[in-house]
Amino acid sequence: MSESAQCWINGRLMPGSEASISVFDHGLLYGDGVFEGIRFYRGRAFRLHEHLIRLMDSAAAIRLTVPYTPAELTQAVADIVAAFAATEGYLRLIVTRGVGPLGLNPDNCTQPTVIIIADHLSMISDKQRQQGAKLIIASTRRLPADGLDGRIKSLNYLNNILARMEASQAGADEAILLNQNGYVTEGSAANVFVIRDGRLFTPYPADGALQGITRRVVMALATDKKIPMTVGTLTPYDLYTADECFLTGTGAELTPVREVDGRPLRYCPGPVFSRLAQAFTDVIYKETEKKCVFNAKAAKT
Ligand code: PLP
């Protein structure tokens, strides 16, 4: 937490240093809740509509009622961004099952806890952005969808944390998780793309990839730029033999990859990555000129 962190809890805005929640909150006790990570640039949240739709979908999937409308959350986001000391930063929007007695049963948790944190984020170092990230393929596998559907952005990240720890242990920056079939899903907190012979490839959501909002922006940019694209099944071989590889995410933005499991990639940053990264920066610039007002119709398109 930085000194300038701000927090909004169930309608109350306060400095991050004063924020606290109950130890009986089921978000803490059981990871029972959902969240979104959102960037803001120039004082405006990027793709807020899409994040709110995904939050509402994640909550619906775990039978959790968010006690605020998307319009109210949009206002809360505007308030916390205005209170934050800088015009660029990161928001963590969390909805937990709320306070309840010990025990998994959520039926006695009557009031969900809604938290928004605004702070600086330095998930990717400048060195990684310039020189590219080192990846490993983790031995920890992505949880199967019939255990926990990967589309639910839940507070249960232990699986991803274990993979991330493997990366640190190996001196790498990020880990790629495979699914039970050995197919590439995504990183611990980012989607993955590879480029081979000018074509962009990214894994199927059904293979276990979160439908990342940054991923969606990149796919739209590839279509605009007439870069051929395949959403399909990838194996570690496709990563090892790629011309280029990169990660996408709210935290990672677009991060080039230089090496996978000790195999250097042909180009880092490569020409296709560089085109998309420039186009991504342009999209951020263009979209954050506008004021963010929740518009459900726009969010679905
Ligand atoms: N995959 C996982 C597991 C993530 O946690 C994230 C980021 O939150 C992503 C992918 C990228 O998604 P987005 O671009 O919506 O941030």
Side-chain angles (χ1 to χ4, degrees), residues 61-115:
I62 66 163
R63 207 158 48 83
L64 171 62
T65 305
V66 181
Y68 295 96
T69 62
E72 288 167 334
L73 291 173
T74 301
Q75 185 57 52
V77 163
D79 292 346
I80 194 169
V81 168
F84 190 64
T87 54
E88 280 203 10
Y90 178 80
L91 301 167
R92 176 59 59 97
L93 173 46
I94 306 157
V95 186
T96 79
R97 194 74 68 176
V99 172
L102 293 176
L104 293 180
N105 188 353
D107 290 349
N108 295 320
C109 301
T110 50
Q111 176 63 36
T113 307
V114 182
I115 302 166

CSV table of all heavy atoms in Angstrom, one decimal, residues 61-115:
chain,number,residue,atom,x,y,z
A,61,ALA,N,-22.7,-15.7,-11.1
A,61,ALA,CA,-22.3,-17.1,-11.2
A,61,ALA,C,-22.1,-17.8,-9.8
A,61,ALA,O,-22.2,-19.0,-9.7
A,61,ALA,CB,-21.1,-17.3,-12.1
A,62,ILE,N,-21.8,-17.0,-8.8
A,62,ILE,CA,-21.6,-17.5,-7.5
A,62,ILE,C,-22.8,-17.2,-6.6
A,62,ILE,O,-22.8,-17.3,-5.4
A,62,ILE,CB,-20.3,-17.2,-6.8
A,62,ILE,CG1,-20.2,-15.7,-6.5
A,62,ILE,CG2,-19.1,-17.6,-7.6
A,62,ILE,CD1,-19.1,-15.3,-5.5
A,63,ARG,N,-23.9,-16.7,-7.2
A,63,ARG,CA,-25.2,-16.4,-6.5
A,63,ARG,C,-24.9,-15.3,-5.4
A,63,ARG,O,-25.3,-15.4,-4.2
A,63,ARG,CB,-25.8,-17.6,-5.8
A,63,ARG,CG,-27.3,-17.5,-5.7
A,63,ARG,CD,-28.0,-18.8,-5.6
A,63,ARG,NE,-27.4,-19.8,-4.7
A,63,ARG,CZ,-27.7,-19.8,-3.4
A,63,ARG,NH1,-28.5,-18.9,-2.8
A,63,ARG,NH2,-27.2,-20.8,-2.6
A,64,LEU,N,-24.2,-14.3,-5.8
A,64,LEU,CA,-23.9,-13.1,-4.9
A,64,LEU,C,-24.5,-11.9,-5.5
A,64,LEU,O,-24.3,-11.6,-6.7
A,64,LEU,CB,-22.4,-13.0,-4.8
A,64,LEU,CG,-21.8,-11.7,-4.1
A,64,LEU,CD1,-22.2,-11.7,-2.6
A,64,LEU,CD2,-20.3,-11.8,-4.2
A,65,THR,N,-25.4,-11.2,-4.7
A,65,THR,CA,-26.0,-10.0,-5.2
A,65,THR,C,-25.2,-8.8,-4.9
A,65,THR,O,-24.9,-8.5,-3.7
A,65,THR,CB,-27.4,-9.9,-4.6
A,65,THR,OG1,-28.1,-11.1,-4.8
A,65,THR,CG2,-28.2,-8.7,-5.1
A,66,VAL,N,-24.8,-8.1,-5.9
A,66,VAL,CA,-24.0,-6.9,-5.7
A,66,VAL,C,-25.0,-5.8,-5.3
A,66,VAL,O,-26.0,-5.5,-6.0
A,66,VAL,CB,-23.3,-6.4,-7.0
A,66,VAL,CG1,-22.4,-5.2,-6.7
A,66,VAL,CG2,-22.4,-7.6,-7.5
A,67,PRO,N,-24.8,-5.2,-4.1
A,67,PRO,CA,-25.8,-4.2,-3.6
A,67,PRO,C,-25.7,-2.8,-4.2
A,67,PRO,O,-26.4,-1.9,-3.6
A,67,PRO,CB,-25.5,-4.2,-2.1
A,67,PRO,CG,-24.0,-4.5,-1.9
A,67,PRO,CD,-23.7,-5.4,-3.1
A,68,TYR,N,-25.0,-2.7,-5.2
A,68,TYR,CA,-25.0,-1.4,-5.9
A,68,TYR,C,-25.2,-1.6,-7.4
A,68,TYR,O,-24.8,-2.7,-7.9
A,68,TYR,CB,-23.6,-0.7,-5.7
A,68,TYR,CG,-23.3,-0.3,-4.3
A,68,TYR,CD1,-22.6,-1.2,-3.5
A,68,TYR,CD2,-23.8,0.9,-3.8
A,68,TYR,CE1,-22.3,-0.8,-2.2
A,68,TYR,CE2,-23.6,1.2,-2.5
A,68,TYR,CZ,-22.8,0.4,-1.7
A,68,TYR,OH,-22.6,0.7,-0.4
A,69,THR,N,-25.8,-0.7,-8.1
A,69,THR,CA,-26.0,-0.8,-9.5
A,69,THR,C,-24.7,-0.4,-10.2
A,69,THR,O,-23.8,0.3,-9.6
A,69,THR,CB,-27.1,0.1,-10.0
A,69,THR,OG1,-26.6,1.5,-9.8
A,69,THR,CG2,-28.4,-0.1,-9.3
A,70,PRO,N,-24.5,-0.9,-11.5
A,70,PRO,CA,-23.4,-0.4,-12.2
A,70,PRO,C,-23.2,1.1,-12.3
A,70,PRO,O,-22.1,1.6,-12.2
A,70,PRO,CB,-23.6,-1.0,-13.6
A,70,PRO,CG,-24.4,-2.2,-13.4
A,70,PRO,CD,-25.3,-1.8,-12.3
A,71,ALA,N,-24.3,1.8,-12.3
A,71,ALA,CA,-24.3,3.3,-12.4
A,71,ALA,C,-23.7,3.8,-11.0
A,71,ALA,O,-22.9,4.7,-11.0
A,71,ALA,CB,-25.6,3.9,-12.7
A,72,GLU,N,-24.2,3.2,-9.9
A,72,GLU,CA,-23.6,3.6,-8.6
A,72,GLU,C,-22.2,3.3,-8.5
A,72,GLU,O,-21.4,4.1,-7.9
A,72,GLU,CB,-24.4,2.9,-7.5
A,72,GLU,CG,-25.9,3.5,-7.4
A,72,GLU,CD,-26.8,2.6,-6.5
A,72,GLU,OE1,-26.5,1.4,-6.3
A,72,GLU,OE2,-27.7,3.2,-5.9
A,73,LEU,N,-21.8,2.1,-9.0
A,73,LEU,CA,-20.3,1.8,-8.9
A,73,LEU,C,-19.5,2.7,-9.8
A,73,LEU,O,-18.4,3.1,-9.5
A,73,LEU,CB,-20.1,0.3,-9.3
A,73,LEU,CG,-20.7,-0.7,-8.3
A,73,LEU,CD1,-20.6,-2.1,-8.8
A,73,LEU,CD2,-20.0,-0.6,-6.9
A,74,THR,N,-20.1,3.1,-10.9
A,74,THR,CA,-19.4,4.0,-11.8
A,74,THR,C,-19.1,5.4,-11.1
A,74,THR,O,-18.0,5.9,-11.1
A,74,THR,CB,-20.2,4.3,-13.1
A,74,THR,OG1,-20.4,3.0,-13.7
A,74,THR,CG2,-19.5,5.3,-14.0
A,75,GLN,N,-20.1,5.8,-10.3
A,75,GLN,CA,-20.0,7.0,-9.5
A,75,GLN,C,-18.9,6.9,-8.5
A,75,GLN,O,-18.1,7.7,-8.2
A,75,GLN,CB,-21.3,7.4,-9.0
A,75,GLN,CG,-21.3,8.8,-8.2
A,75,GLN,CD,-20.8,9.9,-9.1
A,75,GLN,OE1,-21.4,10.1,-10.2
A,75,GLN,NE2,-19.8,10.7,-8.7
A,76,ALA,N,-19.0,5.7,-7.8
A,76,ALA,CA,-18.0,5.4,-6.7
A,76,ALA,C,-16.6,5.4,-7.3
A,76,ALA,O,-15.6,6.0,-6.7
A,76,ALA,CB,-18.3,4.1,-6.1
A,77,VAL,N,-16.4,4.9,-8.5
A,77,VAL,CA,-15.1,4.8,-9.1
A,77,VAL,C,-14.7,6.3,-9.4
A,77,VAL,O,-13.5,6.7,-9.2
A,77,VAL,CB,-15.1,4.0,-10.4
A,77,VAL,CG1,-14.0,4.2,-11.3
A,77,VAL,CG2,-15.2,2.5,-10.0
A,78,ALA,N,-15.6,7.1,-10.0
A,78,ALA,CA,-15.2,8.5,-10.3
A,78,ALA,C,-14.8,9.2,-9.0
A,78,ALA,O,-13.8,10.0,-9.0
A,78,ALA,CB,-16.4,9.2,-10.9
A,79,ASP,N,-15.5,8.9,-7.9
A,79,ASP,CA,-15.2,9.6,-6.6
A,79,ASP,C,-13.8,9.2,-6.1
A,79,ASP,O,-13.0,10.1,-5.7
A,79,ASP,CB,-16.2,9.3,-5.5
A,79,ASP,CG,-17.6,9.8,-5.9
A,79,ASP,OD1,-17.7,10.7,-6.8
A,79,ASP,OD2,-18.6,9.4,-5.2
A,80,ILE,N,-13.5,7.9,-6.2
A,80,ILE,CA,-12.2,7.5,-5.6
A,80,ILE,C,-11.1,7.9,-6.5
A,80,ILE,O,-10.0,8.3,-6.0
A,80,ILE,CB,-12.2,6.0,-5.3
A,80,ILE,CG1,-11.0,5.6,-4.4
A,80,ILE,CG2,-12.2,5.1,-6.5
A,80,ILE,CD1,-11.0,4.2,-3.8
A,81,VAL,N,-11.3,7.9,-7.8
A,81,VAL,CA,-10.2,8.4,-8.7
A,81,VAL,C,-10.0,9.9,-8.5
A,81,VAL,O,-8.8,10.3,-8.4
A,81,VAL,CB,-10.6,8.1,-10.2
A,81,VAL,CG1,-9.7,8.8,-11.2
A,81,VAL,CG2,-10.6,6.6,-10.5
A,82,ALA,N,-11.1,10.6,-8.3
A,82,ALA,CA,-10.9,12.1,-8.0
A,82,ALA,C,-10.1,12.3,-6.7
A,82,ALA,O,-9.4,13.3,-6.6
A,82,ALA,CB,-12.3,12.8,-8.0
A,83,ALA,N,-10.3,11.4,-5.7
A,83,ALA,CA,-9.7,11.6,-4.4
A,83,ALA,C,-8.2,11.1,-4.4
A,83,ALA,O,-7.4,11.5,-3.5
A,83,ALA,CB,-10.4,10.8,-3.3
A,84,PHE,N,-7.8,10.4,-5.5
A,84,PHE,CA,-6.5,9.8,-5.5
A,84,PHE,C,-5.5,10.9,-6.0
A,84,PHE,O,-5.8,11.8,-6.8
A,84,PHE,CB,-6.5,8.6,-6.5
A,84,PHE,CG,-5.2,7.8,-6.5
A,84,PHE,CD1,-4.8,7.1,-5.4
A,84,PHE,CD2,-4.4,7.8,-7.6
A,84,PHE,CE1,-3.7,6.4,-5.3
A,84,PHE,CE2,-3.2,7.0,-7.6
A,84,PHE,CZ,-2.8,6.3,-6.4
A,85,ALA,N,-4.3,10.8,-5.4
A,85,ALA,CA,-3.3,11.9,-5.6
A,85,ALA,C,-2.8,12.0,-7.1
A,85,ALA,O,-2.3,13.0,-7.5
A,85,ALA,CB,-2.1,11.6,-4.7
A,86,ALA,N,-2.9,10.9,-7.9
A,86,ALA,CA,-2.4,10.9,-9.2
A,86,ALA,C,-3.5,10.6,-10.2
A,86,ALA,O,-4.5,10.1,-9.9
A,86,ALA,CB,-1.3,9.9,-9.4
A,87,THR,N,-3.2,10.9,-11.5
A,87,THR,CA,-4.3,10.7,-12.5
A,87,THR,C,-4.1,9.3,-13.2
A,87,THR,O,-5.0,8.9,-13.9
A,87,THR,CB,-4.2,11.8,-13.6
A,87,THR,OG1,-2.9,11.8,-14.1
A,87,THR,CG2,-4.6,13.1,-13.1
A,88,GLU,N,-3.1,8.6,-12.8
A,88,GLU,CA,-2.9,7.2,-13.3
A,88,GLU,C,-2.8,6.3,-12.2
A,88,GLU,O,-2.1,6.6,-11.2
A,88,GLU,CB,-1.6,7.1,-14.1
A,88,GLU,CG,-1.8,7.6,-15.5
A,88,GLU,CD,-0.8,7.1,-16.5
A,88,GLU,OE1,0.0,6.1,-16.2
A,88,GLU,OE2,-0.8,7.6,-17.6
A,89,GLY,N,-3.4,5.2,-12.3
A,89,GLY,CA,-3.3,4.2,-11.2
A,89,GLY,C,-4.1,3.0,-11.4
A,89,GLY,O,-4.5,2.7,-12.6
A,90,TYR,N,-4.4,2.3,-10.4
A,90,TYR,CA,-5.0,1.0,-10.5
A,90,TYR,C,-6.1,0.9,-9.5
A,90,TYR,O,-6.0,1.4,-8.3
A,90,TYR,CB,-4.0,-0.1,-10.2
A,90,TYR,CG,-4.4,-1.5,-10.2
A,90,TYR,CD1,-4.6,-2.2,-11.4
A,90,TYR,CD2,-4.7,-2.2,-9.0
A,90,TYR,CE1,-5.1,-3.5,-11.4
A,90,TYR,CE2,-5.1,-3.5,-9.0
A,90,TYR,CZ,-5.3,-4.2,-10.2
A,90,TYR,OH,-5.7,-5.5,-10.2
A,91,LEU,N,-7.2,0.3,-9.8
A,91,LEU,CA,-8.4,0.1,-8.9
A,91,LEU,C,-8.6,-1.3,-8.7
A,91,LEU,O,-8.5,-2.1,-9.7
A,91,LEU,CB,-9.7,0.7,-9.5
A,91,LEU,CG,-9.6,2.2,-9.9
A,91,LEU,CD1,-10.9,2.5,-10.8
A,91,LEU,CD2,-9.7,3.0,-8.6
A,92,ARG,N,-8.9,-1.7,-7.5
A,92,ARG,CA,-9.3,-3.1,-7.2
A,92,ARG,C,-10.7,-3.0,-6.6
A,92,ARG,O,-11.0,-2.4,-5.6
A,92,ARG,CB,-8.3,-3.6,-6.1
A,92,ARG,CG,-8.6,-5.0,-5.6
A,92,ARG,CD,-8.7,-6.1,-6.7
A,92,ARG,NE,-7.5,-6.2,-7.5
A,92,ARG,CZ,-6.5,-7.1,-7.2
A,92,ARG,NH1,-6.7,-8.0,-6.3
A,92,ARG,NH2,-5.5,-7.2,-8.0
A,93,LEU,N,-11.6,-3.5,-7.4
A,93,LEU,CA,-13.1,-3.5,-7.0
A,93,LEU,C,-13.4,-4.9,-6.5
A,93,LEU,O,-13.3,-5.9,-7.3
A,93,LEU,CB,-13.9,-3.1,-8.2
A,93,LEU,CG,-15.4,-3.1,-8.2
A,93,LEU,CD1,-16.0,-2.5,-7.0
A,93,LEU,CD2,-15.9,-2.4,-9.4
A,94,ILE,N,-13.8,-5.0,-5.3
A,94,ILE,CA,-14.0,-6.3,-4.7
A,94,ILE,C,-15.4,-6.4,-4.1
A,94,ILE,O,-15.9,-5.5,-3.4
A,94,ILE,CB,-13.0,-6.5,-3.5
A,94,ILE,CG1,-11.6,-6.3,-3.9
A,94,ILE,CG2,-13.2,-7.9,-2.8
A,94,ILE,CD1,-10.6,-6.0,-2.8
A,95,VAL,N,-16.1,-7.5,-4.3
A,95,VAL,CA,-17.4,-7.8,-3.6
A,95,VAL,C,-17.3,-9.1,-2.9
A,95,VAL,O,-17.0,-10.1,-3.5
A,95,VAL,CB,-18.6,-7.8,-4.6
A,95,VAL,CG1,-19.9,-7.9,-3.9
A,95,VAL,CG2,-18.6,-6.6,-5.6
A,96,THR,N,-17.4,-9.0,-1.6
A,96,THR,CA,-17.3,-10.3,-0.8
A,96,THR,C,-18.7,-10.7,-0.3
A,96,THR,O,-19.6,-9.9,-0.3
A,96,THR,CB,-16.4,-10.2,0.4
A,96,THR,OG1,-17.1,-9.5,1.5
A,96,THR,CG2,-15.1,-9.4,0.1
A,97,ARG,N,-18.8,-11.9,0.1
A,97,ARG,CA,-20.1,-12.4,0.7
A,97,ARG,C,-20.4,-11.6,1.9
A,97,ARG,O,-21.6,-11.6,2.3
A,97,ARG,CB,-19.9,-13.9,1.0
A,97,ARG,CG,-21.2,-14.6,1.2
A,97,ARG,CD,-22.0,-14.9,0.0
A,97,ARG,NE,-21.4,-15.8,-0.9
A,97,ARG,CZ,-21.9,-16.3,-2.0
A,97,ARG,NH1,-23.1,-15.8,-2.4
A,97,ARG,NH2,-21.3,-17.1,-2.8
A,98,GLY,N,-19.5,-11.0,2.6
A,98,GLY,CA,-19.7,-10.2,3.8
A,98,GLY,C,-19.5,-10.9,5.0
A,98,GLY,O,-19.0,-12.1,5.0
A,99,VAL,N,-19.9,-10.3,6.2
A,99,VAL,CA,-19.6,-10.9,7.5
A,99,VAL,C,-20.6,-11.9,7.8
A,99,VAL,O,-21.8,-11.8,7.5
A,99,VAL,CB,-19.7,-9.7,8.5
A,99,VAL,CG1,-19.6,-10.3,10.0
A,99,VAL,CG2,-18.6,-8.7,8.3
A,100,GLY,N,-20.1,-13.0,8.4
A,100,GLY,CA,-21.1,-14.1,8.8
A,100,GLY,C,-20.4,-15.0,9.8
A,100,GLY,O,-19.2,-14.9,10.1
A,101,PRO,N,-21.2,-16.0,10.3
A,101,PRO,CA,-20.6,-16.9,11.3
A,101,PRO,C,-19.5,-17.8,10.7
A,101,PRO,O,-19.6,-17.9,9.4
A,101,PRO,CB,-21.8,-17.7,11.8
A,101,PRO,CG,-22.9,-17.4,10.9
A,101,PRO,CD,-22.6,-16.2,10.1
A,102,LEU,N,-18.6,-18.4,11.5
A,102,LEU,CA,-17.7,-19.3,10.9
A,102,LEU,C,-18.4,-20.5,10.3
A,102,LEU,O,-19.5,-20.8,10.7
A,102,LEU,CB,-16.7,-19.8,12.0
A,102,LEU,CG,-15.8,-18.8,12.6
A,102,LEU,CD1,-15.0,-19.4,13.8
A,102,LEU,CD2,-14.9,-18.2,11.6
A,103,GLY,N,-17.9,-21.0,9.2
A,103,GLY,CA,-18.5,-22.1,8.5
A,103,GLY,C,-18.8,-21.6,7.1
A,103,GLY,O,-19.0,-20.4,6.8
A,104,LEU,N,-18.7,-22.5,6.1
A,104,LEU,CA,-18.7,-22.2,4.7
A,104,LEU,C,-20.1,-21.6,4.3
A,104,LEU,O,-20.1,-20.8,3.4
A,104,LEU,CB,-18.5,-23.4,3.8
A,104,LEU,CG,-17.1,-24.0,3.9
A,104,LEU,CD1,-17.1,-25.2,3.0
A,104,LEU,CD2,-16.0,-23.0,3.5
A,105,ASN,N,-21.2,-22.0,4.9
A,105,ASN,CA,-22.5,-21.7,4.4
A,105,ASN,C,-22.7,-20.2,4.3
A,105,ASN,O,-22.6,-19.5,5.4
A,105,ASN,CB,-23.5,-22.3,5.4
A,105,ASN,CG,-24.9,-22.1,4.9
A,105,ASN,OD1,-25.1,-21.4,3.8
A,105,ASN,ND2,-25.9,-22.7,5.5
A,106,PRO,N,-22.9,-19.7,3.1
A,106,PRO,CA,-23.0,-18.2,3.0
A,106,PRO,C,-24.4,-17.7,3.4
A,106,PRO,O,-24.6,-16.4,3.4
A,106,PRO,CB,-22.8,-18.0,1.5
A,106,PRO,CG,-23.2,-19.2,0.9
A,106,PRO,CD,-23.1,-20.4,1.9
A,107,ASP,N,-25.4,-18.5,3.7
A,107,ASP,CA,-26.8,-18.1,3.9
A,107,ASP,C,-26.9,-17.0,5.0
A,107,ASP,O,-27.8,-16.2,5.0
A,107,ASP,CB,-27.7,-19.3,4.2
A,107,ASP,CG,-27.9,-20.1,2.9
A,107,ASP,OD1,-27.4,-19.7,1.9
A,107,ASP,OD2,-28.4,-21.2,3.0
A,108,ASN,N,-26.0,-17.1,6.0
A,108,ASN,CA,-26.1,-16.1,7.1
A,108,ASN,C,-25.3,-14.9,6.9
A,108,ASN,O,-25.2,-14.1,7.8
A,108,ASN,CB,-25.8,-16.8,8.4
A,108,ASN,CG,-26.8,-17.9,8.8
A,108,ASN,OD1,-28.0,-17.7,8.5
A,108,ASN,ND2,-26.3,-19.0,9.2
A,109,CYS,N,-24.7,-14.7,5.7
A,109,CYS,CA,-24.0,-13.5,5.4
A,109,CYS,C,-25.0,-12.5,4.8
A,109,CYS,O,-25.5,-12.8,3.7
A,109,CYS,CB,-22.9,-13.7,4.5
A,109,CYS,SG,-21.6,-14.9,5.1
A,110,THR,N,-25.5,-11.5,5.5
A,110,THR,CA,-26.6,-10.8,5.0
A,110,THR,C,-26.2,-9.6,4.2
A,110,THR,O,-27.0,-9.2,3.3
A,110,THR,CB,-27.5,-10.3,6.2
A,110,THR,OG1,-26.6,-9.7,7.1
A,110,THR,CG2,-28.2,-11.5,6.9
A,111,GLN,N,-25.0,-9.0,4.4
A,111,GLN,CA,-24.7,-7.8,3.7
A,111,GLN,C,-23.3,-7.9,3.0
A,111,GLN,O,-22.3,-8.0,3.7
A,111,GLN,CB,-24.6,-6.7,4.7
A,111,GLN,CG,-24.2,-5.3,4.2
A,111,GLN,CD,-25.1,-4.7,3.2
A,111,GLN,OE1,-26.3,-4.9,3.2
A,111,GLN,NE2,-24.6,-4.1,2.2
A,112,PRO,N,-23.3,-8.1,1.6
A,112,PRO,CA,-22.0,-8.2,1.0
A,112,PRO,C,-21.1,-6.9,1.3
A,112,PRO,O,-21.7,-5.8,1.5
A,112,PRO,CB,-22.4,-8.2,-0.5
A,112,PRO,CG,-23.8,-8.6,-0.6
A,112,PRO,CD,-24.4,-8.1,0.7
A,113,THR,N,-19.9,-7.1,1.3
A,113,THR,CA,-18.9,-6.0,1.5
A,113,THR,C,-18.4,-5.6,0.1
A,113,THR,O,-18.0,-6.4,-0.7
A,113,THR,CB,-17.7,-6.5,2.3
A,113,THR,OG1,-18.2,-7.1,3.5
A,113,THR,CG2,-16.8,-5.3,2.7
A,114,VAL,N,-18.5,-4.3,-0.2
A,114,VAL,CA,-18.1,-3.8,-1.5
A,114,VAL,C,-16.9,-2.8,-1.2
A,114,VAL,O,-17.0,-1.9,-0.4
A,114,VAL,CB,-19.2,-3.1,-2.3
A,114,VAL,CG1,-18.6,-2.6,-3.6
A,114,VAL,CG2,-20.4,-4.0,-2.5
A,115,ILE,N,-15.8,-3.1,-1.8
A,115,ILE,CA,-14.5,-2.4,-1.5
A,115,ILE,C,-14.0,-1.9,-2.9
A,115,ILE,O,-14.0,-2.6,-3.8
A,115,ILE,CB,-13.5,-3.3,-0.9
A,115,ILE,CG1,-14.0,-3.9,0.4
A,115,ILE,CG2,-12.2,-2.5,-0.6
A,115,ILE,CD1,-13.2,-5.0,1.0
